[in-house]
Amino acid sequence: MEVVLTHNEPINTEECPKPEKSHKRSKISRDVETDIELLYKAVPQIGKVFRIIDKIGEGTFSSVYLGEAQMHDGSRQKFALKHLIPTSHPTRIAAELQCLTLAGGQENVMGVTYCFRKEDHVVIVMPYLEHKAIVDIISSLSFEEVRLYIYNLLRALKHIHQFGIIHRDIKPNNFLYNRKTKEYALVDFGLAQGTADTQIDLLKDLSGLRKVQRPVFGERNINSCTQVSATTKATSAQTEFVKVAKAEDPANRRYLSAGRGSAALKSQGANQKPQRAVPLGVTCSCFQTDRVCNICLSRKQQIAPRAGTPGFRAPEVLTKCPNQGTAIDVWSAGVILLSLLSGRYPFFKASDDLIALSQIMTIRGSRETIQAAKAFGKSIVCSRELPRQDLRVLCETLRGHRPSPDDDDYVTPLPQNNGTVSGKPPIPDETPTHRPIEEQVKPEDTYDNTSLHTGHMETEQWDGGWGGVPDEAYDLLDRLLELNPAKRITAADALTHPLFTDLIQLT
Ligand code: ADP
Ligand code: MG
Ligand code: ZN
């Protein structure tokens, strides 16, 4: 048993508080109860310090619990206990901890209080930040809250990027937000990687591990020449390997044969040679067809990091560009801003990297995407041209602030294909107009946008500031969602963007 102390002994290990019946979370399921028992058994030290109240998160690589400890001054404090799956690589675990200890506890980055280990079980103890899932609050967020949320996310990104940490999994689930206290915390360094000059030593050690990296759990590898059938249901995209013997073009390739109305995509490394020996002179004929031949199947996969969540992945990640930097986190922040401005979460829902890429093209334009990819050494073929969308028109249409499809001057926000964007009409509870009454109260710290209204403020319900979103918001969005990572704004520069003029002195 090892207890690593990273903080000034705040916890009284003598008196473990007795379970309280009155706790509002006392109704936990059998499964959760069983998991809590198993955790107490796996790491008995936990039970001496904490009373575990509930499970608050469950992912592929960890389970997170809410625990309570009695402090020396008699008060009780809540903590989040992250139990990592026992199969996690020790260096991976140590790197996650090092990110939290060195960069955490400041600038909206979660800190760490303790770490327990018994055999292969590791539990990271962090201060608990109460928060709600973004999907539950998105419809009631005011524009000012969105502006502050993005500002605070960018602060966390600037901070970790200064340490040479690439988070790689920036999404609302990993950026906790407490609406009442206006606290924010970036969590989950489980996929983090270091830049070339990272200050996190253990992230350097991870680069050795990456060479033997397994495909990310639960996701298909699209690295080999892979046929993807995107159907109208985003979730039913399938991969089929078709055995074909003839050959013609030896290039390393992939092909997306899209279903109804969607764009077909092919992306290939312009500078990469196939890594597994395909006999010289042997060519294949699957180029630009919807099959994958054995020759292409036998090509060795190109290794490039691609951890993260498809809908938040930057174009350079989706196309497996080997040189990825902190700009990938900035792209993800852009996707979050797009989601919050349009009121749709998730915005991109992709089960596959090429579907995700086609979804990006529907917003940012196919020609623009192809051109940007060329700049980072990737060649993409798209079967049809998708125009670049005006971001304000797109967001306002999705928010219902612009004419609907029944109106004459309706602007098609998105191609109606393969579930590209979560384009279905919002369910009533998520629509801004159906916001619960108590949420419609204008927050005290809201920035004054009354000048943008035309005098109906007293009689009309406040619209959350959505009627007067300034151009700066869409300008920042445009810069965050810059397709070429070399041109994409950095988190540090984004913080000085005119959208945040009134906040700059606080940084
Ligand atoms: P995973 O690697 O499994 O995604 P995370 O570190 O992202 O693990 O934690 C999963 C979830 O647990 C988060 O999305 C969040 O809801 C919750 N969580 C994690 N850390 C904290 C914390 N310090 N305070 C409150 N909730 C937390
Ligand atoms: Mg997470
Ligand atoms: Zn082939």
Side-chain angles (χ1 to χ4, degrees), residues 225 249 253 284-287 291-296 299:
C225 180
D249 182 344
R253 64 183 65 120
C284 91
S285 62
C286 71
F287 184 65
R291 299 166 311 185
V292 182
C293 73
N294 281 342
I295 290 167
C296 289
R299 295 178 203 284

Side-chain angles (χ1 to χ4, degrees), residues 362-375:
T362 65
I363 306 298
R364 305 303 278 157
S366 54
R367 250 188 308 139
E368 291 82 352
T369 308
I370 289 164
Q371 201 184 341
K374 211 169 162 189

Side-chain angles (χ1 to χ4, degrees), residues 56-57 59 62 64 80 82 110 126-129 131 173-174 176 187-188:
I56 51 175
S62 78
V64 180
K82 181 169 178 174
M110 180 55 71
M126 298 164 272
Y128 174 69
L129 178 61
H131 61 282
N173 286 354
N174 289 334
L176 316 183
V187 298
D188 198 356

Side-chain angles (χ1 to χ4, degrees), residues 266-300:
K266 182 178 72 78
S267 151
Q268 64 188 48
N271 312 323
Q272 271 89 32
K273 291 187 199 126
Q275 287 159 307
R276 188 180 296 172
V278 173
L280 265 180
V282 179
T283 51
C284 91
S285 62
C286 71
F287 184 65
Q288 289 201 338
T289 69
D290 57 358
R291 299 166 311 185
V292 182
C293 73
N294 281 342
I295 290 167
C296 289
L297 283 177
S298 71
R299 295 178 203 284
K300 194 174 174 183

Side-chain angles (χ1 to χ4, degrees), residues 171 199 294 297 299 354 376 414 455 467 503:
K171 57 180 175 181
Q199 292 170 39
N294 281 342
L297 283 177
R299 295 178 203 284
L354 286 184
F376 53 81
L414 300 162
L503 302 168

Side-chain angles (χ1 to χ4, degrees), residues 21-291:
K21 276 205 183 108
S22 62
H23 194 278
K24 62 177 175 217
R25 284 179 205 258
S26 58
K27 264 199 165 177
I28 56 170
S29 76
R30 260 284 144 76
D31 288 352
V32 169
E33 252 170 46
T34 312
D35 287 352
I36 292 172
E37 284 312 314
L38 287 173
L39 178 60
Y40 282 136
K41 243 185 220 149
V43 190
Q45 191 72 18
I46 295 272
K48 296 198 180 121
V49 184
F50 297 99
R51 178 174 72 88
I52 299 182
I53 299 166
D54 202 355
K55 188 187 242 185
I56 51 175
E58 171 141 42
T60 313
F61 304 109
S62 78
S63 296
V64 180
Y65 298 88
L66 169 64
E68 197 178 56
Q70 182 143 345
M71 314 307 283
H72 283 305
D73 66 3
S75 68
R76 283 178 186 176
Q77 208 165 304
K78 283 180 179 156
F79 292 88
L81 290 85
K82 181 169 178 174
H83 181 208
L84 302 169
I85 55 157
T87 51
S88 306
H89 194 285
T91 311
R92 204 352 112 205
I93 296 170
E96 179 169 356
L97 260 175
Q98 203 171 46
C99 289
L100 290 166
T101 48
L102 294 181
Q106 44 185 323
E107 290 297 311
N108 302 330
V109 181
M110 180 55 71
V112 58
T113 310
Y114 272 111
C115 184
F116 292 100
R117 180 175 79 87
K118 191 194 172 204
E119 287 152 11
D120 49 1
H121 291 274
V122 173
V123 177
I124 298 174
V125 181
M126 298 164 272
Y128 174 69
L129 178 61
E130 197 178 339
H131 61 282
K132 280 193 178 138
I134 210 81
V135 68
D136 294 331
I137 60 169
I138 190 163
S139 63
S140 64
L141 290 175
S142 66
F143 169 67
E144 178 60 7
E145 268 187 289
V146 166
R147 189 177 78 104
L148 290 172
Y149 180 97
I150 290 298
Y151 180 77
N152 281 285
L153 171 61
L154 289 166
R155 262 176 84 151
L157 291 185
K158 176 188 174 184
H159 182 69
I160 64 161
H161 292 170
Q162 278 170 346
F163 279 83
I165 300 170
I166 310 169
H167 185 282
R168 296 206 67 95
D169 200 14
I170 296 298
K171 57 180 175 181
N173 286 354
N174 289 334
F175 189 61
L176 316 183
Y177 168 44
N178 184 312
R179 255 181 129 171
K180 276 189 216 131
T181 62
K182 291 272 174 249
E183 283 175 284
Y184 307 83
L186 180 61
V187 298
D188 198 356
F189 290 85
L191 296 171
Q193 284 182 339
T195 57
D197 57 350
T198 184
Q199 292 170 39
I200 313 293
D201 290 336
L202 288 163
L203 289 179
K204 287 181 197 149
D205 296 350
L206 278 176
S207 44
L209 291 180
R210 240 175 277 156
K211 298 201 175 75
V212 290
Q213 163 190 17
R214 292 168 291 137
V216 175
F217 179 80
E219 287 176 1
R220 285 181 296 102
N221 172 27
I222 59 146
N223 217 9
S224 51
C225 180
T226 302
Q227 176 198 329
V228 182
S229 316
T231 68
T232 39
K233 287 175 208 130
T235 47
S236 61
Q238 294 170 345
T239 310
E240 289 168 30
F241 295 103
V242 184
K243 291 186 179 176
V244 183
K246 277 209 213 109
E248 195 186 81
D249 182 344
N252 181 20
R253 64 183 65 120
R254 247 159 289 164
Y255 189 70
L256 171 83
S257 131
R260 232 195 315 160
S262 90
L265 283 184
K266 182 178 72 78
S267 151
Q268 64 188 48
N271 312 323
Q272 271 89 32
K273 291 187 199 126
Q275 287 159 307
R276 188 180 296 172
V278 173
L280 265 180
V282 179
T283 51
C284 91
S285 62
C286 71
F287 184 65
Q288 289 201 338
T289 69
D290 57 358
R291 299 166 311 185

